[in-house]
């Protein structure tokens, strides 16, 4: 605390990081509450595509991990994926 008290710029950066993480968590919770699994999956695919800067990318997560990330269960995710596959998204 003494070291941080002497470096306000470090405190500012820490506060900015904390604020960004809080906003990300709030958005994640809001999506989990208000969106259907298909909408959350679509948002994940779009975000992953943007990060990869490509329409084609490899999903490296297991279904279990992806389901956890989307706040659902693996079985529900497994039922939604064929719909995306028929539309040529997955």
């Amino acid at each position: 605390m003494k070291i941080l008290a002497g470096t306000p710029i470090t405190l500012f950066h820490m506060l900015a990081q904390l604020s960004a993480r809080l906003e990300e968590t709030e958005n994640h919770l809001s999506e989990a509450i208000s969106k259907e699994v298909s909408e959350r999956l679509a948002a994940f695919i779009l975000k992953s595509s943007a990060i990869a800067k490509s329409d084609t990318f490899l999903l490296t997560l297991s279904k279990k991990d992806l389901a956890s990330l989307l706040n659902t269960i693996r079985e529900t995710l497994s039922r939604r994926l064929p719909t995306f596959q028929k539309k040529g998204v997955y």
Side-chain angles (χ1 to χ4, degrees):
M1 293 301 288
K2 288 179 184 181
I3 293 170
L4 290 176
T7 54
I9 193 75
T10 303
L11 286 173
F12 176 76
H13 287 294
M14 286 178 64
L15 183 58
Q17 286 293 319
L18 239 140
S19 181
R21 287 183 184 183
L22 180 59
E23 184 177 1
E24 184 179 324
T25 300
E26 184 179 348
N27 290 337
H28 188 72
L29 287 172
S30 178
E31 283 185 9
I33 292 169
S34 65
K35 291 186 178 178
E36 295 291 325
V37 173
S38 295
E39 291 175 295
R40 295 192 306 260
L41 178 56
F44 173 80
I45 291 170
L46 288 172
K47 184 176 180 180
S48 297
S49 176
I51 291 169
K53 297 180 182 172
S54 173
D55 291 341
T56 306
F57 58 93
L58 182 63
L59 285 176
T60 57
L61 295 170
S62 67
K63 282 186 183 178
K64 180 181 175 184
D65 290 339
L66 181 55
S68 178
L69 184 68
L70 298 176
N71 294 309
T72 190
I73 58 174
R74 189 179 50 79
E75 292 80 3
T76 301
L77 180 64
S78 291
R79 286 192 297 269
R80 297 300 189 277
L81 285 173
T83 304
F84 282 77
Q85 202 168 21
K86 286 178 188 174
K87 293 180 181 181
V89 176
Y90 168 73

